[in-house]
Structures are given as structure tokens and as C-alpha cells.
Amino acid sequence: MTVLLRVLACATVLLAPLEGYLQEVHPHLAKVAPGLLIVSWVAQRVRQRRWPAPHPLHALLALFGVVLLASSAVHAGDPFTLDYAQRFLPFLVITAVLVDVVAREVPVRAVLGAAVGGALFAALGALYSLVFEGEPRATGPLEDPNDLAYFLVVALPLLIALPARKFLLPVGAVLAAGAAATFSRGGGIALALAAVWLVARRGVSMRAVAATVGGLAVIGLGAVLFAGPVLDRALDEKKYIAATNVDTRELRWQAAARMLAANPAFGVGPGGFRSSYAAASRNAEIDEQQPVAHNIYLEIGAELGLPGLACFLGAVALAFVATERVLRVSSDRRPMLAVQASLIAALTASTFLSEQYYLPIWSLVAVAIAAQVRVEERERDACVARHQ
């Protein structure tokens, strides 16, 4: 059962960025691995008669679930409420499950390696879609290039935590090339901030950063020489989209802020931003009546109110506190520095995207808390041993 939990936990994280490919095979195939993980975890804990190690995150996730259900009940008549509540709630459950299995059965590096592996496959799909399928911007397993860039830039900092050094450079090159092929400005900003954090915390050296920049320059030069027409078409597409993105996102952020101000307690319900957007924006976008907010903080606040936003931010804050506590006592700083940098990349990219329905932020929070639980349990065992 321990082996099964390890396989399912890693499969859940690895397959997350490949959701589009899985849905092409079957609409519900992406739910199989997390569903089996939850069932296997329940069976294992019942067999062991053992509860998860308590942590404040569990109370926060439970409160988040209550807020989600309360907002759903208040706005039960909205056409999107039930669907979006069913999408959101499993992320809270899978976060709690990952905390427990990573604290007990699954090595932290195995989960981080699974995240990198899934992103690597997604990056290869991104490059294939751009070069061989003629897409103007790389998409691969995800319909939106910005969502794809989110997965790739969040995975890149995790490379410093992995032991297989000789493979890190080619894997990093593929991830970086795939992210660049999406032409996502938010992804570029997120990766830059993550890199600054790693340098400031001495997770990577300036020499490594210089080598990475040089490698990207070589990749870019090769792309210009061998795929010039493809790049020209992609850049033209991006310029056209970028000109409208700034204006439309500002409209959506303003609409989300109005929804939050008008409904601070329960929001407009899960998925309610889409149904309420036309009215809140005063019909600002004639051709787009039901968009997303393209900002995770404003969208969660608009849909679940201030309590929901506070729960989300609280979970992220607990993750950062947990990583700092582990760093104080750990001889190997790389895993937690990698988690911190990846969280920074995810939170930065989410300023421009609605990413609450994708796994990276939730899995990173789970890994951070699980690492803290591991440390605390080792300290308790050592204390008991000293007093025997």
C-alpha cells in the first residue's frame, strides 16, 4: 500500500500539466489518479487506525471548504455555481491528502521530481505544437499558452532540488524553451522573480544564472536561424493579443473588485464571476460576456468573499512559514529553497491568471507543510529517545 500511495501521489502531480491530453482520451481520465490516491489514502489510514498529524493548515482547509459550500448555497441558482464548486473542492481535499502522504510515505524529492517530469512532457508538447502543428503560440497539452507557461516556469526552480545533476541542464533547456514558445509575459516576470529569490537566498550562484542566460541566448539564436518564419508569425500574433490583453484585464479586474466590494461576505459564488461579469463591467466587452478574471486573488475574492480570499492567502503564508522552519534545521537547503522559488513564480504568474483550478500552488503548499511535519516528528522522536 505504501508503494501504491507513492505511485499515485507522484502520478497525480506528474499528470497535472497533461490534463488536455488526458481529456482528449476521455473527459474524466485526468481525475483517475487523484481519485485513486484519495481512496487509497483513506483505506491505508483506516487499516492503520492512524489519523493525519495535525497542522493548522488542516483547520484552514476545512474552513475554506465551509466558506466554499456556504457561498455555493447562497448562490445555488447561479448556472456556474455547482460546476465550479465541484472543481474547487477536490483541490482542498487533495492538498490535505498530499500533506499526509508526503509527510509519511512519499519522499519530498519524489514529488518535486514528478512535477518536473510532467512539465517536461508538457514542454515537449508545447514545442511540437509550435514547430510541427503550426500553432502561432505553443499550446501543447493546454488550450491557453499562458496556463502552459505557468506550469513550466513553476517547475523550473524545482530543478535545483533534484539529485541527477547531469540531466538538469538539458531538462532546464527544454522547460525554458517551452515556456519561451508560449510568449507569456507573465511567465517571464514570474521566472525572473524566482531566479532573483534563488540568487538572494544563495540557492543558485550567479555563474549558474549567467550560464542559463547564455544557454537561452543560444536557443533563441538557433530558433531565429532555423525557425524564423514561425517566430515571426508567433510574434505578430502575440503583439496583436498583447494590445488587447492589457485593456481587457483591467476591465475584468475592476469588475472583480466591484463584485468583492458589493458581496464581501459570500462573494458571487463559485464561477459567479463569469455570470456576473456583464453586469459588473457594464457590458464593457460585447464579444466576451463570460470570461475569467485573469487574477487569482481578485477572482477568489469576488467569488468567495473576503473569508475565501483570507483562507487562500493564509494557506500560502503557512507554506512560507513552514519552509523557513525547515530551512533552519536542515543540512540540505535546496528542496525548500526550490519550493519557495516555485511558490513565488506561481503566485506572480497568478497575478495575471486564474490558476486556482490547477494543481501547482496546492501541491507546493502541501509539500511545504509535509516537510515541516517530517521535521517536527523527527524532533519528537529524538526527544523521546533522549528521555528513555
Side-chain angles (χ1 to χ4, degrees):
M1 184 64 79
T2 297
V3 173
L4 179 61
L5 284 174
R6 288 178 178 175
V7 170
L8 291 173
C10 290
T12 297
V13 176
L14 185 145
L15 295 175
L18 306 177
E19 180 180 338
Y21 290 154
L22 298 176
Q23 288 178 341
E24 288 180 4
V25 178
H26 191 278
H28 300 297
L29 187 58
K31 302 174 184 177
V32 172
L36 289 175
L37 173 62
I38 293 171
V39 171
S40 301
W41 171 76
V42 171
Q44 175 75 330
R45 294 298 176 258
V46 170
R47 186 178 68 86
Q48 294 174 331
R49 297 180 181 178
R50 185 179 184 183
W51 288 95
H55 190 277
L57 180 68
H58 294 116
L60 196 59
L61 291 174
L63 179 59
F64 206 161
V66 170
V67 171
L68 177 66
L69 294 175
S71 179
S72 301
V74 171
H75 301 284
D78 187 275
F80 294 104
T81 293
L82 181 59
D83 180 45
Y84 274 76
Q86 290 175 338
R87 289 178 63 187
F88 208 139
L89 192 60
F91 284 102
L92 305 181
V93 176
I94 204 67
T95 301
V97 172
L98 282 175
V99 168
D100 194 42
V101 298
V102 176
R104 289 176 174 168
E105 285 96 354
V106 187
V108 167
R109 276 195 170 91
V111 179
L112 301 184
V116 171
L120 177 61
F121 284 115
L124 292 172
L127 295 173
Y128 182 87
S129 69
L130 184 72
V131 176
F132 296 103
E133 295 183 345
E135 295 287 344
R137 296 172 64 198
T139 53
L142 295 173
E143 184 178 352
D144 190 329
N146 295 309
D147 290 334
L148 178 59
Y150 169 77
F151 275 98
L152 302 185
V153 301
V154 169
L156 266 165
L158 300 179
L159 288 172
I160 71 166
L162 304 184
R165 295 292 175 183
K166 62 182 180 180
F167 297 111
L168 298 188
L169 184 58
V171 171
V174 173
L175 291 177
T182 65
F183 296 91
S184 172
R185 293 169 298 173
I189 295 170
L191 186 57
L193 289 179
V196 169
W197 180 265
L198 287 176
V199 172
R201 299 299 301 270
R202 299 181 180 178
V204 296
S205 64
M206 286 301 299
R207 182 189 303 177
V209 173
T212 302
V213 172
L216 291 175
V218 171
I219 293 172
L221 180 60
V224 170
L225 292 175
F226 297 103
V230 175
L231 285 178
D232 288 340
R233 186 173 69 251
L235 287 171
D236 290 340
E237 175 78 11
K238 179 59 180 177
K239 288 177 183 177
Y240 173 77
I241 294 173
T244 59
N245 274 352
V246 174
D247 295 334
T248 57
R249 285 182 181 176
E250 184 178 354
L251 291 172
R252 295 173 190 181
W253 295 352
Q254 290 173 352
R258 292 190 194 105
M259 293 179 201
L260 176 57
N263 305 276
F266 295 103
V268 294
F273 177 86
R274 297 185 65 185
S275 56
S276 303
Y277 175 68
S281 67
R282 302 179 179 93
N283 221 20
E285 293 184 72
I286 302 299
D287 57 342
E288 184 60 85
Q289 296 289 294
Q290 296 177 338
V292 296
H294 279 289
N295 181 296
I296 192 172
Y297 314 104
L298 286 173
E299 187 160 315
I300 289 177
E303 295 188 348
L304 302 181
L306 290 174
L309 181 59
C311 288
F312 174 72
L313 295 177
V316 172
L318 285 177
F320 274 106
V321 171
T323 56
E324 285 298 321
R325 289 180 176 174
V326 176
L327 284 171
R328 290 197 199 110
V329 300
S330 177
S331 58
D332 185 0
R333 294 167 53 85
R334 290 174 299 173
M336 289 301 100
L337 288 178
V339 170
Q340 286 183 344
S342 290
L343 265 174
I344 288 170
L347 295 170
T348 303
S350 296
T351 304
F352 313 100
L353 301 168
S354 299
E355 298 298 328
Q356 63 269 38
Y357 301 108
Y358 291 110
L359 190 60
I361 286 180
W362 305 106
S363 62
L364 289 169
V365 168
V367 168
I369 301 302
Q372 181 189 0
V373 172
R374 280 177 176 263
V375 167
E376 291 175 348
E377 289 187 345
R378 281 200 302 267
E379 290 176 345
R380 282 197 296 269
D381 292 343
C383 184
V384 171
R386 284 196 300 269
H387 289 83
Q388 284 181 344

